Amino acid sequence: MAENKIFAGPRVRRIRNGLQLTQTAMAEALGISPSYLNLIERNQRPLTVQLLLKLSSVYKVDLDELQGETGGGLAQLREVFADPLLAGELPGDQELIEIAEAAPNASGGIVKLYRAYREQASRLKDLADLLAGQGHMAALSGTRLPIDEVREAFEARPNHFARIEEAMEAFHAALSPGDDLSGALKAWLKKEHGLVVRTLPVHAMPNLRRRFDRHSMRLFISERLSPFDQTREIAMEVASIACHEAIDAELEQIRFSTAEARRIGRFELARYAAHALMMPYQTFLAAAQRAKYDIDLLRSRFQVSFEQAANRLTMLQRPGATGIPFFLMEIDNAGHRLRRAGALGFPAARFGGACPKLNIHAAFAVPGQVLVDRVEMPEGSEFLVVSRTLDGPQAGFEERVRRTALLIGCDAGFAEEVVYGASKMVAVPVGAACRLCERQGCLARAEPPVTRPLGLDEMATGLSVFDFQ
C-alpha cells in the first residue's frame, strides 16, 4: 500500500528547536541522515508514516500537531492580505502557508498589527464624522477603492441630475410608450440601432444580469431578473445611447480621479437615467403628491418595483417643482452598507444610519412587510423612516435568496404630508452610530463611544457591556 506523505518541514524544525537539538542529534535518534533531515525541514522531502511514528515514540510528539493544517492562522493571514492596501502583493497562498507554518508567532503578530491598524482607521473615521457634524473638516489620508470614491461623491451631493432629467423627459415624450414601456424600448432599439433584445435562461447566462454582444447586435437579459428589473436593464441601455451627452456632462462635473471610478460613475448615472425614463419627472411628482408618497401605490401605478419607486422619490428636487426631500439606505443582513443617497445628500452627520435600533435591521425578520417608525436623535431632531426587504435575482432550488433591506426616510416635519406619518407614533431614541452616540444604558449598544472614557467599575455594572463615564 502506498505511503501517505506529509510535507511538514517547518513544524519538524520548530519541534527540534524547542528541544534544543542539532540536526545531527535528531537525525541519529530517528535513524536517518542529517542531510535527509535537512531536506525534510526544507519541505523537499516528505514526512512518511514511519517517520511520524518515530517522532511520536522518541519525542512524544502529538501526531495531530504534525498532520494538522495551518487552520485559523492561514485564514487570518488571508484576511490581512485581502485588504485593498495589500491586495496583489502575493500571487497565491503558498507564501502565506509558509509563514503560518514556519513562524506562527510572527503570523499572529502580523494579524494583531493589522487589526490594530483597522481599529485605528475606524476610530479616525468616526472622529472625522464627528468633526464634520460640528462643521469642522478633517483631511484624513487613506487608501480608497474606486467604488468608495464613487459612493462618497454620490452620497455627499443631492440625488438629482437636471441634464439627465430633461433629456429623459424629452425622450419619453417623443417615444410615447403608452402602457408598454418595455415593448416600446425594444422596438426603438431595433428600429434605430438594429439591436435585438433577448431573454436568456439561467443555464445560458448563469452569472450575468445582461450582456451586449456587439457582433450580433443583441442585448441579452437574464431570466433571473424580475420584469421590473428587466425593463430597467433595457432602459439603461437606451439611456446610455440616447442620453450619453447629458451623462457625460454630469460625469465631467463630478470629476472622478481614476478611469475605473469614472466607469462606475457612468454606470450609476445610466441607472439614474433609467429611473427617470421609467418614471418621468412631472408625471411621477404629481402622482406621488396625490398618493401622499405611498410607495406601493406608486409602484403599481408605474409598473416598477418597490426599490425603483423608493429610489425615484429621492430624485424629486427640480427647482420650482420639488418633492419631499427623502433619503435612503440599503444594507444586507450582515449589516454591510450597499448604497446611500439623498435628495439633499445623505444626512450622515445628523442621521448616521448605523444605529442597531433602526427598523431596517428588524425588516429581515418580516420579509416583504413595510415597517414605519419615528426616530429621535440625541440632539432632538426627528425622522420618519420606512423600511422593507428587497429580494434580488430569482434563485434556484439549491441557491440562497439574495435579500437586502431598504430604508427610506425624511425629516419628521413632513410627516403630515406622507401616508406613513398619519398615525401618531412614539419616537424611538436612536443615534448616528454607537461610537458617536452618548446615550446612557442603551440595550442595543455594540461599541463604546469614542468621545468618552470607559467607566470600568468592579462594584457596579450597567445595562450595557460598554459602560462609559
Side-chain angles (χ1 to χ4, degrees):
M1 183 174 67
E3 292 181 341
N4 293 320
K5 297 180 179 181
I6 299 171
F7 289 90
R11 301 188 195 116
V12 174
R13 186 189 308 117
R14 196 161 60 245
I15 292 169
R16 180 174 61 77
N17 290 336
L19 296 171
Q20 297 183 342
L21 295 173
T22 63
Q23 283 187 338
T24 302
M26 176 175 267
E28 184 179 346
L30 296 176
I32 58 176
S33 67
S35 61
Y36 188 71
L37 178 59
N38 181 267
L39 292 172
I40 287 175
E41 290 190 357
R42 287 189 289 140
N43 268 350
Q44 294 182 8
R45 290 292 185 275
L47 193 61
T48 62
V49 173
Q50 284 79 3
L51 280 175
L52 277 173
L53 295 175
K54 271 205 169 185
L55 279 166
S56 177
S57 62
V58 174
Y59 298 113
K60 310 302 180 188
V61 174
D62 186 355
L63 292 180
D64 289 339
E65 183 181 350
L66 290 169
Q67 300 182 79
E69 299 293 331
T70 54
L74 177 59
Q76 291 170 343
L77 283 176
R78 281 180 178 144
E79 175 192 348
V80 172
F81 283 88
D83 188 276
L85 189 64
L86 301 173
E89 292 291 332
L90 300 177
D93 282 350
Q94 186 56 41
E95 288 186 46
L96 297 184
I97 294 172
E98 292 173 2
I99 294 172
E101 289 184 341
N105 293 331
S107 171
I110 292 172
V111 172
K112 284 183 180 179
L113 188 63
Y114 170 74
R115 289 179 175 170
Y117 151 72
R118 295 296 299 173
E119 173 72 12
Q120 191 71 4
S122 178
R123 284 180 175 272
L124 286 173
K125 182 180 182 302
D126 290 333
L127 286 172
D129 291 342
L130 183 62
L131 290 171
Q134 296 173 353
H136 305 289
M137 296 303 294
L140 299 175
S141 60
T143 302
R144 291 192 308 169
L145 292 172
I147 185 63
D148 295 326
E149 180 184 358
V150 174
R151 281 176 174 172
E152 290 174 13
F154 280 97
E155 290 172 9
R157 54 151 294 148
N159 192 24
H160 181 80
F161 297 91
R163 297 182 184 91
I164 295 177
E165 291 287 357
E166 292 172 5
M168 286 294 90
E169 205 165 19
F171 179 85
H172 187 278
L175 184 67
S176 188
D179 293 331
D180 185 14
L181 177 62
S182 178
L185 293 176
K186 291 177 182 178
W188 183 86
L189 285 171
K190 185 173 182 179
K191 178 182 178 182
E192 300 295 331
H193 298 277
L195 199 158
V196 177
V197 179
R198 285 191 57 195
T199 302
L200 289 188
V202 175
H203 72 269
M205 199 164 65
N207 301 318
L208 298 175
R209 298 173 63 92
R210 66 169 169 151
R211 182 172 68 86
F212 176 46
D213 187 339
R214 295 181 182 275
H215 299 291
S216 63
M217 292 300 290
R218 287 182 295 179
L219 176 66
F220 299 115
I221 307 292
S222 173
E223 69 176 4
R224 284 178 178 266
L225 302 183
S226 69
F228 312 120
D229 287 341
Q230 289 185 24
T231 299
R232 179 166 60 190
E233 294 298 326
I234 299 169
M236 286 178 65
E237 193 66 36
V238 169
S240 298
I241 298 172
C243 184
H244 68 92
E245 292 181 356
I247 290 176
D248 287 344
E250 296 289 0
L251 202 58
E252 188 63 32
Q253 191 170 353
I254 299 176
R255 298 185 181 277
F256 291 115
S257 64
T258 66
E260 180 67 7
R262 185 178 176 86
R263 185 187 69 81
I264 298 171
R266 183 183 300 278
F267 177 86
E268 291 299 325
L269 289 176
R271 186 185 181 92
Y272 179 101
H275 287 148
L277 178 55
M278 296 166 70
M279 296 163 275
Y281 192 97
Q282 289 291 354
T283 307
F284 186 82
L285 174 62
Q289 291 172 336
R290 285 196 303 271
K292 298 192 70 173
Y293 300 92
D294 188 322
I295 300 173
D296 282 309
L297 289 182
L298 291 172
R299 64 183 289 203
S300 177
R301 164 71 176 78
F302 289 90
Q303 300 179 39
V304 295
S305 68
F306 186 96
E307 175 258 336
Q308 291 166 358
N311 263 286
R312 191 62 172 140
L313 287 179
T314 69
M315 305 173 184
L316 304 179
Q317 292 301 297
R318 176 180 289 175
T322 62
I324 289 176
F326 285 99
F327 59 88
L328 66 79
M329 174 177 68
E330 185 180 359
I331 65 170
D332 65 14
N333 54 8
H336 299 125
R337 173 177 59 84
L338 304 179
R339 60 191 166 126
R340 299 190 302 188
L344 306 175
F346 186 82
R350 293 178 61 211
F351 178 74
C355 181
K357 292 194 289 187
L358 290 172
N359 56 15
I360 188 172
H361 304 289
F364 288 104
V366 282
Q369 183 174 330
V370 175
L371 304 181
V372 182
D373 271 336
R374 191 184 185 106
V375 298
E376 180 184 6
M377 307 305 293
E379 84 287 355
S381 60
E382 294 188 0
F383 295 91
L384 184 69
V385 294
V386 180
S387 296
R388 182 190 186 276
T389 57
L390 308 172
D391 286 346
Q394 180 61 47
F397 174 68
E398 294 182 345
E399 294 177 305
R400 183 165 294 179
V401 174
R402 180 185 184 273
R403 180 166 288 147
T404 60
L406 185 79
L407 176 147
I408 180 168
C410 65
D411 192 284
F414 296 100
E416 293 184 359
E417 301 176 45
V418 182
V419 67
Y420 306 106
S423 60
K424 298 295 181 181
M425 294 174 285
V426 176
V428 178
V430 301
C434 289
R435 289 197 172 195
L436 303 178
C437 179
E438 297 183 359
R439 290 192 186 277
Q440 294 279 2
C442 177
L443 298 177
R445 179 172 292 280
E447 295 178 301
V450 295
T451 53
R452 298 282 183 174
L454 282 176
L456 302 177
D457 189 344
E458 295 181 357
M459 305 303 292
T461 303
L463 292 173
S464 169
V465 294
F466 298 106
D467 294 332
F468 55 90
Q469 297 177 4

